[in-house]
Amino acid sequence: MSDLLNKTHRIVEKGVMEFRPFGQDPKGEKIRDVSGMTVRAYVEYLQETMTRTKGREAGDLALQDLTRLLNERITDPAYHVTPEFLQNPWNSYSYEFVMYLAEFCVELSGDSDFHLNLGREKFLSPIIQVLGRAFSIVQIYRLYPYFVEKFTKGALRPKVLTVTNGAAVMRLEISEKTARQFGRYRFGCVERICQATKSAIAEVPARMFLLKSAMIEDQRCMGNGDEFCEWRFTWEPQLSSSWVWPGIGVLFGGILMVYLHRNYPALSIWEDAGIAAIPAVIFWLAGTLWNDRRALQGQSKVIQEQLQFVEAQHEELRVAYLEQEQTAVELRHKIGELTMFYQIGLRLSSTLDRQYAIRSGLEALIGDLQYDQAMISLFDHTRSIAHKATLVGVSEEIAAMASALEVPITDPESIEGTVLLKGQPVLVNDVAEVHHRLHPLNQQLLTTLNTHGFLAIPLRFKDRILGAMVAYRTTPSLLTQADTNVLLTVGNQIALALHNADTYAEVQQLNLSLEAKVLERTFDLEQVNRHLETTNEQLQQLDKVKSQLLSHCSHELRTPLTSIKGFSENLIEGLVGQLNEKQRKYLLRINANADRLTQMIDDLLDLSRIEAGKIPMNWDEVNLSKLASDVIDQYQLLAQGKGQALDGRFAKGDLWILADGDRLTQILTNLVHNAIKFTPPGGSIRITTDRTGENTVMVSVSDTGPGIPEEAIPKLFDPFYQAHRQQESGTKGLGLGLAIVKNLVDLHGGAIAVECGKEQGTTFKVTLPIKPKQPPQA
C-alpha cells in the first residue's frame, strides 16, 4: 500500500494501457469486468452533456475525441475502438480501460462532478425503473448486490449491511484483479466508482417512486485509504397498510353485541347480531384486501422470475458476442502479421546490405510489434562469442555500448547458450527469475535498458546459427508462445537475408581477389614477354565474364529464387488458404526446381571458394557413423520415391574424428545424391563406415547403377566433367559435385577412390585421418 498515490493522481498519468481492453486476456479467459451498458451510459451522457451546453456538433466531436484519446493509449491497433463500438451494449471491457474512458469523459466535459451526475442520470436505466416499481424501496436496496454483479461480473464486491423502511447501510469493495489493473492509481479510480455508485443508489426513491432522493452519509471510502466504501442512505419511509383495524373491528363487534344484549333487552337476538355483524363485514373486506396484496406479491415474484430469465438470455447473447468480437480481434491480428511479414520480406529481398537488413528487421519489431527495444547480435563460432550487436530503440550512447560488447558463449544452460548453442528460443516475462543465468555483461545491459521481460530467438539458416535476435519489454506485459512464433518467422526472414548478404559479400570479395590475381599475372607476363599482350587481354576478358557470372548467380538468380521459394512454401503451408491437389502438385514442382537451381548456385560458389582458398573450415569432434545415419534419413524418402533401397552398415561403436561436420555432410550428400540419380528403380544404395587403421577411417557409398566407363575415370573429378552425358534429362547438372567432393576430402587430409565396372555399379571410398597432426587450413 505504501507505493499507492493519493486520489488526486489519475490513471491516465501512467501513459499507455497495460492490460487488454476487451476480448480475451493472454491466458485465454474472457474479459468481463464491466458491462457494455455501463460504457454506453458514459458515452451517451458525455454526448448529451456536450450537446446540451455547446450544441450537437460539439457532442459528436466529443465522441470522436474520446475514441482518439483511448486509441492513443492502446498500443495494439487490433484493439482500437470507434464511437459505434463503444455504444454497443453487448461488449464487455477491462476495468483499466473503463477508468481511462472515465477520466477522458471528465476531461472532455469539463465537469468535475461528471460521475455524480452520471450515476443520477444514467445508471438507473428506464427498463430497471419500470420493472422496479413492482417492488418496494427496501426490496430494491436488498437487490443492490445483484445489480452490481450484473454490470461488473465480480470486479466489484457489494454488500448490504442493514435495510429498514427509511434507512440502509451498504458497502463496496474491489477484487484483487481490479486492484492490479488500477495499480498505483487505485485511490483515484475507486473515488470515481464510489461517486457514480452512491449517486445511482440515492436516486432509487426519486426515479422509481416519485419521492425525494435519498440522503447520503459517507462513512468510509477506499479513496481515503479505507479497505472499502460504506454509505448510509436515508429516505422518506413508504406507508404500509395496517391489518390491525380489522381485528379491532371483530373485537368491537363482539363487545357491541354483549352491550346491546345487556342494555337493550328489547332488541331481539337477531337485531343484536345484525348490528354486531357490521365489524365482521369490515373484517371480511380487510381479508379481501389482504388476499389482493398477496396476489400482487405473487405477480411481483413472476416479474422477478421473468427478469431473471431475461437476464439469463442477455448473458448468453453477450457471451456469444464476446466470442465473435475475440474472433474479429484475432483475425485483425493475423492480417496485421501477414501484412508485416510481406512488408519485411519486400525490404529484405530488395537489399544485399547486411546492416540495412538488420536495421529493417529490428525497426519492424518496434514499429509493428510494439516492443520497446530490439537487438541482433552475431555469433562467431570460432571464438564462441556473441558480438557486433545492433540495438535500436535506445540512445546512441547505449547503442554504441551494446555494439562494443563481446559476450563469451560457453555454457549451454545459460540464457545465451540456450539460444546460440542449443538453437532454442527463450521467453522471459520477469527478468528477475533468470537473472542468475545471464552473463554479467548482459545483466548490466538489461539493467541499463530497464527491461522487465524479453524474447530471444536464434537466427538460423539451415543448420547454422548466425546470431540471436532479442525483443525487450520495459513494462509488465505477458509474452506468449504466439509472440514466439511471430518472432521466429521474422527471424527466419532476417537470417535468410543475412545469409544472402554474406554470400554476396563473399562473391564480391572473390571477384576482387580474382581480379587482383589476374592483374598481377598480367603484369608479370607483360614484363616477361610483350608478345603475349593479346593473350593476356583475352584472359582478362574471360576472367571478367567469370566475375560477372558469379555476381549474377548470387544476385540476379538468388534474390528472385529466394522470393519464389519463400512464397511457394507459404502457399504450400496454407497461409493464404487451402490448395487443391493440382495446385499443390505445381507448387511442389516449383519449389523443387528452385532448390535445384539454388544447389547449382551453391556448387558454383563452393567451387570458387575452394579454388580461391577461402572456404571456411570449422573443426570439431564428429561421430562419422551418426553423420552417415543422418544422411540416410535425409535421403530416404527420395530413394523410396524411386523404388530404391537406401541403408547403412556401420562399424561397431562410435567413430569419432576431428573434422568439419558440415563439409563431411556435404561430401556424403553429394555422393548419395549421385548414386540415387544414376541408380535405376529397384536398385540399392549403401553407406558403409569402418576403421581401417590406428589413425584412419573409411566411409564408402556403393550403388547398383550402370557404372562408369573406364575411360571417364581419370577425368571424373574435374570441374564441369560429366561421365554420363547421354543419360536422360533428369540426371543433368553442372558436373561440379565430384569436383567439390574431391577438394573437400583434400582439405580434410584424406583421399577418395572409385571402384566400378560397366553395368556393375560404382563404389566411392573416402579415407580420412581420425585426428590430423595439424588440421589443414582453408
Side-chain angles (χ1 to χ4, degrees), residues 16 103 110 112 180 277 313 423 444 469 489 533 547 559 617 746:
V16 298
E103 295 302 332
S112 59
R180 285 197 302 272
Q313 295 295 314
Q444 180 183 358
M469 181 166 66
T489 302
E533 182 177 355
S547 299
T559 299
M617 298 292 288
D746 291 344

Side-chain angles (χ1 to χ4, degrees), residues 423-496:
Q424 299 172 359
V426 174
L427 187 154
V428 176
N429 279 305
D430 187 353
V431 171
E433 296 178 357
V434 298
H435 191 267
H436 62 285
R437 293 178 57 199
L438 289 164
H439 190 276
L441 292 175
N442 280 330
Q443 292 176 356
Q444 180 183 358
L445 178 62
L446 294 185
T447 301
T448 303
L449 297 178
N450 193 28
T451 301
H452 189 275
F454 65 86
L455 182 54
I457 64 160
L459 296 177
R460 185 200 308 270
F461 181 77
K462 295 185 177 179
D463 294 328
R464 187 172 180 82
I465 295 176
L466 307 179
M469 181 166 66
V470 189
Y472 302 98
R473 288 272 171 84
T474 58
T475 57
S477 56
L478 186 63
L479 296 169
T480 65
Q481 184 60 41
D483 298 315
T484 304
N485 295 337
V486 170
L487 212 63
L488 284 171
T489 302
V490 175
N492 289 337
Q493 290 182 294
I494 295 175
L496 180 59

Side-chain angles (χ1 to χ4, degrees), residues 32-34 94-96 148-149 152-158 172-183 186 190 193 222 227-228:
R32 304 173 62 188
D33 296 341
V34 183
S94 70
Y95 232 126
E96 180 194 43
V148 174
E149 172 62 23
T152 62
K153 298 300 179 186
L156 302 180
R157 295 173 179 170
L172 184 68
E173 300 177 68
I174 62 173
S175 67
E176 292 182 2
K177 177 183 176 183
T178 304
R180 285 197 302 272
Q181 293 186 46
F182 293 166
R186 185 190 307 176
V190 296
I193 297 172
M222 288 183 284
E227 295 182 2
F228 48 79

Side-chain angles (χ1 to χ4, degrees), residues 297-519:
Q297 289 178 335
Q299 292 175 356
S300 298
K301 183 178 181 181
V302 171
I303 292 174
Q304 186 173 6
E305 291 175 351
Q306 292 175 342
L307 179 60
Q308 292 174 348
F309 175 76
V310 170
E311 291 295 337
Q313 295 295 314
H314 173 274
E315 186 61 23
E316 291 179 5
L317 289 173
R318 187 166 72 160
V319 169
Y321 185 83
L322 285 175
E323 293 175 352
Q324 179 182 352
E325 185 59 34
Q326 179 62 26
T327 301
V329 169
E330 292 174 356
L331 181 59
R332 289 197 293 271
H333 264 299
K334 293 297 182 184
I335 293 174
E337 288 174 3
L338 289 174
T339 302
M340 179 194 66
F341 294 152
Y342 174 73
Q343 292 174 346
I344 292 176
L346 286 180
R347 290 197 294 267
L348 295 180
S349 64
S350 66
T351 182
L352 288 171
D353 182 274
R354 170 197 283 251
Q355 197 58 30
Y356 177 81
I358 290 175
R359 294 199 71 86
S360 295
L362 295 178
E363 288 168 0
L365 297 189
I366 294 178
D368 297 326
L369 297 180
Q370 288 82 50
Y371 288 100
D372 298 303
Q373 299 109 13
M375 182 177 74
I376 287 179
S377 57
L378 303 179
F379 183 42
D380 187 332
H381 290 263
T382 303
R383 299 166 59 197
S384 293
I385 62 168
H387 65 142
K388 296 182 179 179
T390 301
L391 178 61
V392 299
V394 297
S395 65
E396 293 183 1
E397 292 78 9
I398 296 178
M401 180 192 75
S403 178
L405 293 179
E406 291 191 351
V407 181
I409 311 296
T410 56
D411 182 6
E413 300 305 320
S414 67
I415 296 297
E416 299 86 358
T418 301
V419 177
L420 292 172
L421 299 180
K422 294 184 177 180
Q424 299 172 359
V426 174
L427 187 154
V428 176
N429 279 305
D430 187 353
V431 171
E433 296 178 357
V434 298
H435 191 267
H436 62 285
R437 293 178 57 199
L438 289 164
H439 190 276
L441 292 175
N442 280 330
Q443 292 176 356
Q444 180 183 358
L445 178 62
L446 294 185
T447 301
T448 303
L449 297 178
N450 193 28
T451 301
H452 189 275
F454 65 86
L455 182 54
I457 64 160
L459 296 177
R460 185 200 308 270
F461 181 77
K462 295 185 177 179
D463 294 328
R464 187 172 180 82
I465 295 176
L466 307 179
M469 181 166 66
V470 189
Y472 302 98
R473 288 272 171 84
T474 58
T475 57
S477 56
L478 186 63
L479 296 169
T480 65
Q481 184 60 41
D483 298 315
T484 304
N485 295 337
V486 170
L487 212 63
L488 284 171
T489 302
V490 175
N492 289 337
Q493 290 182 294
I494 295 175
L496 180 59
L498 292 179
H499 172 74
N500 290 341
D502 290 344
T503 302
Y504 179 74
E506 289 179 12
V507 171
Q508 292 295 92
Q509 186 61 39
L510 287 173
N511 289 341
L512 293 175
S513 176
L514 288 172
E515 289 177 1
K517 289 182 178 179
V518 169
L519 290 174

